[in-house]
């Protein structure tokens, strides 16, 4: 909020309350359906994916780039991470998210059209790996207006050693592509709904092959999982298809980067180093001490000021600065993934408040793990 608007507003404030959130609610990441349903998972594939929001708490300087609409008749919400040192990957995600949003706005949400019930677009993310010089992120898009199932996924990779953004096919060595495709087709042919025609249209055409091989990630035991959107490698009624090539099968096909991504997934070092210059975190002003506020709202008019979907850097810090300057307080409804990314800002929001009004450590950690939004009832 610009200062010229914020300052006069705060001058009007009497007594405002802060609560940090611990009750229900969800983020787009929670509401998105699973992109690898058990009905489509091959038997004996082995391993589990390592997707998690917990990696946010270990990343320094990460910024959650999020946006959303205020039009309830045609809502949308998007979010993706911008990690220091991986600017090219963030740019690729931005391009794809902006493209999705533009299609949604100009197609499903054109002014004057009947949007229909359920019109909605959500783009959320999860980390595949964030360790050593390897960063992997998956975007999950849920488009409720799609004629199919509306679910699409894509994995983005960054090679810190080469300082390059990589697509999923970059996990495979150039000289091993043909052998890799042969091994993949051998597994896919055993799946219900996969036909010679669907394979030919998706994997045999070299010009468009990489478009369909856009969601590749490693399992905890080193296998390579490939997920395909509905109607790509199988007939549409089959739905999404996911297969896993075991570690022994896929390892000989991997590129140098693919080998490092596999190793950092199975044996994560716990620290991500992409060569970015680390900048010290900006000092965040704490909320005013409520014990010093003698305002009696039964005798004077009071305004309750609330802010949703934070914390966001640097905007929340600026807001806290002016709240402190005018001795005002506010209620913040926070998003779990933002809390994990910016815990120091949440501490500043909570500082000085009675213990019974604070979110417990257990609640905060649970929200970090699940990436959800928390809310507490207004008193």
């Amino acid at each position: 909020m610009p200062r010229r608007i914020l300052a006069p507003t705060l001058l009007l404030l009497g007594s405002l309350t802060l609560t940090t959130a611990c009750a229900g609610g969800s983020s787009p990441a929670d509401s998105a359906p699973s992109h690898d349903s058990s009905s489509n998972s091959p038997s004996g594939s082995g391993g589990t994916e390592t997707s998690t929001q917990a990696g946010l708490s270990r990343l320094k300087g990460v910024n959650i780039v999020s946006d959303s609409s205020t039009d309830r008749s045609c809502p949308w919400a998007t979010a993706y991470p911008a990690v220091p040192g991986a600017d090219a990957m963030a740019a690729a995600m931005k391009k794809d998210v902006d493209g999705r949003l533009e299609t949604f706005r100009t197609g499903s949400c054109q002014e004057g059209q009947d949007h229909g019930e359920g019109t909605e677009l959500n783009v959320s993310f999860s980390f595949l790996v964030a360790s050593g010089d390897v960063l992997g992120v998956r975007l999950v898009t849920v488009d409720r207006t799609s004629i199919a199932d509306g679910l699409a996924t894509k994995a983005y990779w960054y090679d810190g050693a080469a300082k390059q953004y990589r697509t999923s096919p970059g996990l495979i060595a150039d000289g091993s592509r043909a052998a890799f495709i042969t091994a993949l087709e051998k597994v896919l042919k055993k799946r219900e709904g996969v036909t010679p025609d669907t394979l030919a249209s998706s994997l045999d055409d070299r010009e468009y092959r990489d478009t369909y091989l856009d969601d590749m990630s490693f399992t905890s035991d080193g296998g390579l999982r490939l997920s395909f959107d509905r109607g790509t490698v199988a007939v549409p009624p089959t739905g999404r298809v996911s297969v896993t090539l075991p570690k022994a099968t896929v390892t000989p096909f991997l590129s140098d980067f693919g080998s490092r991504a596999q190793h950092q997934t199975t044996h994560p070092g716990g620290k991500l180093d992409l060569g970015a210059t680390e900048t010290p975190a900006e000092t965040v002003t704490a909320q005013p001490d409520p014990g010093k506020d003698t305002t009696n709202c039964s005798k004077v008019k009071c305004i309750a000021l609330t802010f949703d979907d934070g914390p966001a850097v640097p905007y929340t810090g600026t807001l806290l600065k002016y709240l402190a300057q005018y001795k005002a307080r506010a209620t913040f409804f926070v998003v779990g993934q933002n809390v994990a990314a910016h815990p120091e800002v949440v501490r500043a929001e909570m500082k000085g408040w009675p213990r019974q009004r604070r979110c417990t450590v257990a609640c905060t950690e649970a929200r970090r793990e699940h990436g959800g939004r928390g809310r507490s009832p207004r008193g």
Side-chain angles (χ1 to χ4, degrees), residues 1-2 5-6 9-10 13 16-21 287 303-312 315-316 318-320 322-323 328-335 349 373-375 378:
M1 182 180 295
I5 297 176
L6 179 63
T9 301
L10 294 178
L13 300 179
L16 307 178
T17 59
L18 164 75
T19 54
T20 51
Q287 286 244 49
I303 300 173
L305 184 62
T306 65
F307 297 92
D308 284 351
D309 294 344
Y315 309 109
T316 304
T318 302
L319 174 60
L320 287 170
Y322 288 114
L323 285 171
R329 298 189 303 279
T331 299
F332 292 88
F333 294 139
V334 299
V335 177
E349 291 175 341
R373 165 189 274 183
R375 302 194 74 158
R378 302 181 188 179

Side-chain angles (χ1 to χ4, degrees), residues 5 7 47 50 59 62 97 111 131 150 159-160 186 193 198 206 208 280 283 307 315-316 350 370:
I5 297 176
T50 57
L59 297 178
V62 62
V97 169
E111 187 176 355
S131 176
D159 182 350
K186 183 178 179 180
T198 58
R206 295 185 179 182
Y208 298 104
T283 301
F307 297 92
Y315 309 109
T316 304
M350 295 171 61
H370 297 290

Side-chain angles (χ1 to χ4, degrees), residues 157-173:
W157 292 91
Y158 191 80
D159 182 350
K163 300 189 183 305
Q164 290 184 352
Y165 159 64
R166 310 273 188 190
T167 59
S168 287
L171 299 171
I172 308 300

Side-chain angles (χ1 to χ4, degrees), residues 31-85:
S31 59
S34 170
H35 53 268
D36 187 20
S37 69
S38 57
S39 62
N40 284 334
S41 298
S43 59
S45 62
T48 56
E49 280 196 308
T50 57
S51 301
T52 178
Q53 294 291 358
L56 276 166
S57 61
R58 296 193 298 269
L59 297 178
K60 301 297 183 182
V62 62
N63 181 36
I64 309 301
V65 183
S66 58
D67 199 0
S68 60
S69 74
T70 56
D71 183 357
R72 293 187 177 182
S73 66
C74 203
W76 53 266
T78 63
Y80 63 90
V83 179

Side-chain angles (χ1 to χ4, degrees), residues 46 85 110 112 129 131 194 207 219 232 258 268 290 304 322 331 336:
Q110 283 186 342
V129 59
S131 176
V194 177
E207 183 178 357
T219 60
T232 54
Y322 288 114
T331 299

Side-chain angles (χ1 to χ4, degrees), residues 168-188:
S168 287
L171 299 171
I172 308 300
D174 291 340
S176 301
R177 292 286 182 91
F180 168 73
I181 293 298
T182 298
L184 175 60
E185 289 182 334
K186 183 178 179 180
V187 175
L188 284 170

